[in-house]
Amino acid sequence: MQVTTWFIAKEDEAEAIESIVTTEEHSPEDWMYLELPLIEMEFMALSAALRGTEDITDERTLEDPLIFREEDGLIIARVVESFIQSLARVTDANVPGLVNAWVERMDQENHGPEELREFLSEMVKFARQAVARRSPVLSLATF
């Protein structure tokens, strides 16, 4: 299963984050982080739901990779700022409709609506922390 971990971290910390997987010099606990069993297409489906569009491939949620190591099975990239900002603005009243829209845009075999609601809640809290700290979010995806 692919796991994506978000870190409240700056781009110059990408190599230190890489070491979590490659050398274990650092651990996730060195940063504020959120671990999710989601892949890029699932984040793109959420982004489309946030924007109210049907086409999940219309806009990526990650910038170009800062680090791509196929041999170690990892990618580190900055999460697109507009996606983080959109997540930070989600209100409790928006959650049910947003989860339904997210479910409609993705493969429902992997995650049910209640699980997605929990993931969304965690992502919203995390995005708000990143915005409050005025810090980018880096994504570490392992495959």
Side-chain angles (χ1 to χ4, degrees), residues 20-37:
I20 293 169
V21 176
T22 57
T23 65
E24 298 181 2
E25 180 181 340
H26 292 275
S27 72
E29 291 80 18
D30 293 345
W31 296 270
M32 290 189 71
Y33 75 99
L34 174 63
E35 192 171 272
L36 298 161

Side-chain angles (χ1 to χ4, degrees), residues 16-72:
I17 291 170
E18 174 189 18
S19 78
I20 293 169
V21 176
T22 57
T23 65
E24 298 181 2
E25 180 181 340
H26 292 275
S27 72
E29 291 80 18
D30 293 345
W31 296 270
M32 290 189 71
Y33 75 99
L34 174 63
E35 192 171 272
L36 298 161
L38 298 171
I39 61 173
E40 174 64 5
M41 291 305 288
E42 292 164 328
F43 289 114
M44 290 170 67
L46 174 56
S47 179
L50 285 164
R51 294 186 325 275
T53 63
E54 294 297 322
D55 184 2
I56 69 168
T57 62
D58 190 37
E59 191 173 300
R60 295 185 45 85
T61 60
L62 295 175
E63 295 180 3
D64 290 338
L66 298 166
I67 296 173
F68 176 70
R69 292 181 56 97
E70 189 170 8
E71 66 275 12
D72 293 316

